mmCIF file of all heavy atoms in Angstrom:
data_model
loop_
_atom_site.group_PDB
_atom_site.id
_atom_site.type_symbol
_atom_site.label_atom_id
_atom_site.label_comp_id
_atom_site.label_asym_id
_atom_site.label_seq_id
_atom_site.Cartn_x
_atom_site.Cartn_y
_atom_site.Cartn_z
ATOM 1 N N GLY B 455 27.179 -16.349 18.749
ATOM 2 C CA GLY B 455 27.238 -17.524 19.682
ATOM 3 C C GLY B 455 25.669 -17.745 20.137
ATOM 4 O O GLY B 455 24.829 -17.006 19.857
ATOM 5 N N LYS B 456 25.636 -18.901 20.844
ATOM 6 C CA LYS B 456 24.376 -19.186 21.554
ATOM 7 C C LYS B 456 24.071 -18.231 22.639
ATOM 8 O O LYS B 456 25.110 -17.542 23.151
ATOM 9 C CB LYS B 456 24.424 -20.569 22.263
ATOM 10 C CG LYS B 456 24.177 -21.694 21.382
ATOM 11 C CD LYS B 456 24.381 -22.946 22.303
ATOM 12 C CE LYS B 456 25.284 -23.916 21.590
ATOM 13 N NZ LYS B 456 25.469 -25.240 22.095
ATOM 14 N N ALA B 457 22.909 -18.051 23.118
ATOM 15 C CA ALA B 457 22.598 -17.203 24.217
ATOM 16 C C ALA B 457 23.526 -17.460 25.442
ATOM 17 O O ALA B 457 23.649 -18.632 25.733
ATOM 18 C CB ALA B 457 21.137 -17.316 24.689
ATOM 19 N N LEU B 458 24.096 -16.497 25.965
ATOM 20 C CA LEU B 458 24.999 -16.564 27.123
ATOM 21 C C LEU B 458 26.263 -17.404 26.948
ATOM 22 O O LEU B 458 27.009 -17.780 27.872
ATOM 23 C CB LEU B 458 24.275 -17.252 28.384
ATOM 24 C CG LEU B 458 23.065 -16.350 28.906
ATOM 25 C CD1 LEU B 458 22.293 -17.116 30.033
ATOM 26 C CD2 LEU B 458 23.534 -14.990 29.394
ATOM 27 N N ASP B 459 26.609 -17.574 25.655
ATOM 28 C CA ASP B 459 27.835 -18.263 25.261
ATOM 29 C C ASP B 459 28.991 -17.328 24.898
ATOM 30 O O ASP B 459 29.850 -17.552 23.988
ATOM 31 C CB ASP B 459 27.561 -19.204 24.157
ATOM 32 C CG ASP B 459 28.209 -20.613 24.347
ATOM 33 O OD1 ASP B 459 28.918 -20.782 25.367
ATOM 34 O OD2 ASP B 459 28.200 -21.394 23.390
ATOM 35 N N GLU B 460 29.034 -16.025 25.624
ATOM 36 C CA GLU B 460 30.010 -15.100 25.341
ATOM 37 C C GLU B 460 31.390 -15.677 25.443
ATOM 38 O O GLU B 460 32.322 -15.328 24.663
ATOM 39 C CB GLU B 460 29.858 -13.963 26.296
ATOM 40 C CG GLU B 460 28.909 -12.844 25.899
ATOM 41 C CD GLU B 460 27.466 -13.243 26.216
ATOM 42 O OE1 GLU B 460 27.178 -14.355 26.794
ATOM 43 O OE2 GLU B 460 26.470 -12.489 25.841
ATOM 44 N N GLN B 461 31.638 -16.491 26.403
ATOM 45 C CA GLN B 461 33.065 -17.028 26.642
ATOM 46 C C GLN B 461 33.548 -17.726 25.325
ATOM 47 O O GLN B 461 34.698 -17.607 25.026
ATOM 48 C CB GLN B 461 33.043 -18.029 27.803
ATOM 49 C CG GLN B 461 34.476 -18.477 28.199
ATOM 50 C CD GLN B 461 35.175 -17.364 28.872
ATOM 51 O OE1 GLN B 461 34.921 -16.819 29.939
ATOM 52 N NE2 GLN B 461 36.425 -16.954 28.310
ATOM 53 N N LYS B 462 32.688 -18.476 24.749
ATOM 54 C CA LYS B 462 33.118 -19.223 23.663
ATOM 55 C C LYS B 462 33.416 -18.349 22.467
ATOM 56 O O LYS B 462 34.452 -18.553 21.791
ATOM 57 C CB LYS B 462 31.943 -20.320 23.235
ATOM 58 C CG LYS B 462 32.518 -21.373 22.438
ATOM 59 C CD LYS B 462 31.477 -22.492 22.061
ATOM 60 C CE LYS B 462 31.292 -23.419 23.207
ATOM 61 N NZ LYS B 462 30.010 -24.178 23.008
ATOM 62 N N ILE B 463 32.565 -17.444 22.119
ATOM 63 C CA ILE B 463 32.867 -16.530 20.912
ATOM 64 C C ILE B 463 34.140 -15.664 21.308
ATOM 65 O O ILE B 463 34.922 -15.373 20.394
ATOM 66 C CB ILE B 463 31.696 -15.742 20.404
ATOM 67 C CG1 ILE B 463 31.061 -14.862 21.519
ATOM 68 C CG2 ILE B 463 30.676 -16.574 19.763
ATOM 69 C CD1 ILE B 463 30.072 -13.871 20.993
ATOM 70 N N LEU B 464 34.295 -15.367 22.521
ATOM 71 C CA LEU B 464 35.532 -14.513 22.940
ATOM 72 C C LEU B 464 36.787 -15.460 22.772
ATOM 73 O O LEU B 464 37.809 -15.018 22.195
ATOM 74 C CB LEU B 464 35.467 -14.076 24.392
ATOM 75 C CG LEU B 464 34.505 -12.912 24.701
ATOM 76 C CD1 LEU B 464 34.343 -12.709 26.201
ATOM 77 C CD2 LEU B 464 35.158 -11.614 24.125
ATOM 78 N N ASN B 465 36.688 -16.701 23.146
ATOM 79 C CA ASN B 465 37.804 -17.688 22.859
ATOM 80 C C ASN B 465 38.176 -17.802 21.476
ATOM 81 O O ASN B 465 39.320 -17.858 21.017
ATOM 82 C CB ASN B 465 37.538 -19.070 23.482
ATOM 83 C CG ASN B 465 37.532 -18.983 25.056
ATOM 84 O OD1 ASN B 465 37.914 -17.926 25.551
ATOM 85 N ND2 ASN B 465 37.030 -20.047 25.614
ATOM 86 N N ILE B 466 37.048 -18.010 20.603
ATOM 87 C CA ILE B 466 37.306 -18.090 19.135
ATOM 88 C C ILE B 466 37.949 -16.915 18.678
ATOM 89 O O ILE B 466 38.911 -16.861 17.814
ATOM 90 C CB ILE B 466 36.073 -18.383 18.414
ATOM 91 C CG1 ILE B 466 35.383 -19.807 18.960
ATOM 92 C CG2 ILE B 466 36.236 -18.583 16.953
ATOM 93 C CD1 ILE B 466 33.970 -20.132 18.536
ATOM 94 N N GLY B 467 37.412 -15.768 19.052
ATOM 95 C CA GLY B 467 37.898 -14.416 18.578
ATOM 96 C C GLY B 467 39.382 -14.304 19.033
ATOM 97 O O GLY B 467 40.208 -13.652 18.292
ATOM 98 N N TYR B 468 39.648 -14.686 20.238
ATOM 99 C CA TYR B 468 41.014 -14.588 20.803
ATOM 100 C C TYR B 468 42.039 -15.425 19.953
ATOM 101 O O TYR B 468 43.101 -14.885 19.519
ATOM 102 C CB TYR B 468 40.995 -15.122 22.222
ATOM 103 C CG TYR B 468 42.270 -14.976 23.063
ATOM 104 C CD1 TYR B 468 42.872 -13.613 23.153
ATOM 105 C CD2 TYR B 468 42.750 -15.976 23.764
ATOM 106 C CE1 TYR B 468 43.903 -13.451 23.878
ATOM 107 C CE2 TYR B 468 43.844 -15.767 24.555
ATOM 108 C CZ TYR B 468 44.463 -14.509 24.680
ATOM 109 O OH TYR B 468 45.596 -14.342 25.493
ATOM 110 N N ALA B 469 41.594 -16.603 19.599
ATOM 111 C CA ALA B 469 42.453 -17.550 18.794
ATOM 112 C C ALA B 469 42.609 -16.943 17.400
ATOM 113 O O ALA B 469 43.727 -16.888 16.793
ATOM 114 C CB ALA B 469 41.861 -18.894 18.721
ATOM 115 N N PHE B 470 41.562 -16.460 16.898
ATOM 116 C CA PHE B 470 41.483 -15.768 15.582
ATOM 117 C C PHE B 470 42.477 -14.631 15.497
ATOM 118 O O PHE B 470 43.307 -14.461 14.681
ATOM 119 C CB PHE B 470 40.067 -15.375 15.176
ATOM 120 C CG PHE B 470 39.999 -14.696 13.820
ATOM 121 C CD1 PHE B 470 39.802 -15.481 12.746
ATOM 122 C CD2 PHE B 470 40.166 -13.323 13.623
ATOM 123 C CE1 PHE B 470 39.745 -14.890 11.492
ATOM 124 C CE2 PHE B 470 40.129 -12.721 12.466
ATOM 125 C CZ PHE B 470 39.964 -13.435 11.379
ATOM 126 N N GLU B 471 42.411 -13.842 16.545
ATOM 127 C CA GLU B 471 43.105 -12.476 16.488
ATOM 128 C C GLU B 471 44.701 -12.830 16.556
ATOM 129 O O GLU B 471 45.451 -12.188 15.904
ATOM 130 C CB GLU B 471 42.812 -11.788 17.828
ATOM 131 C CG GLU B 471 43.517 -10.531 18.251
ATOM 132 C CD GLU B 471 43.046 -9.957 19.509
ATOM 133 O OE1 GLU B 471 43.353 -10.654 20.583
ATOM 134 O OE2 GLU B 471 42.367 -8.986 19.554
ATOM 135 N N LYS B 472 45.063 -13.975 17.225
ATOM 136 C CA LYS B 472 46.471 -14.292 17.409
ATOM 137 C C LYS B 472 47.035 -14.729 16.024
ATOM 138 O O LYS B 472 48.262 -14.629 15.829
ATOM 139 C CB LYS B 472 46.651 -15.366 18.468
ATOM 140 C CG LYS B 472 46.655 -14.960 19.891
ATOM 141 C CD LYS B 472 47.060 -16.100 20.817
ATOM 142 C CE LYS B 472 47.202 -15.591 22.196
ATOM 143 N NZ LYS B 472 47.507 -16.788 23.029
ATOM 144 N N ASN B 473 46.135 -15.315 15.170
ATOM 145 C CA ASN B 473 46.589 -15.907 13.996
ATOM 146 C C ASN B 473 46.266 -15.135 12.705
ATOM 147 O O ASN B 473 46.628 -15.590 11.609
ATOM 148 C CB ASN B 473 46.011 -17.340 13.916
ATOM 149 C CG ASN B 473 46.632 -18.249 14.941
ATOM 150 O OD1 ASN B 473 47.692 -18.829 14.750
ATOM 151 N ND2 ASN B 473 45.951 -18.422 15.996
ATOM 152 N N CYS B 474 45.621 -14.022 12.953
ATOM 153 C CA CYS B 474 45.159 -13.242 11.717
ATOM 154 C C CYS B 474 46.208 -12.287 11.269
ATOM 155 O O CYS B 474 46.246 -12.076 10.004
ATOM 156 C CB CYS B 474 43.886 -12.534 12.183
ATOM 157 S SG CYS B 474 43.296 -11.275 10.970
ATOM 158 N N GLY B 475 46.956 -11.771 12.152
ATOM 159 C CA GLY B 475 48.068 -10.779 11.801
ATOM 160 C C GLY B 475 47.597 -9.481 11.339
ATOM 161 O O GLY B 475 48.226 -8.719 10.718
#
Side-chain angles (χ1 to χ4, degrees):
Chain B
K456 278 181 230 185
L458 299 175
D459 223 3
E460 276 78 2
Q461 186 74 58
K462 200 177 278 167
I463 54 172
L464 285 167
N465 288 351
I466 300 168
Y468 188 51
F470 179 89
E471 178 184 67
K472 281 190 174 177
N473 291 279
C474 168

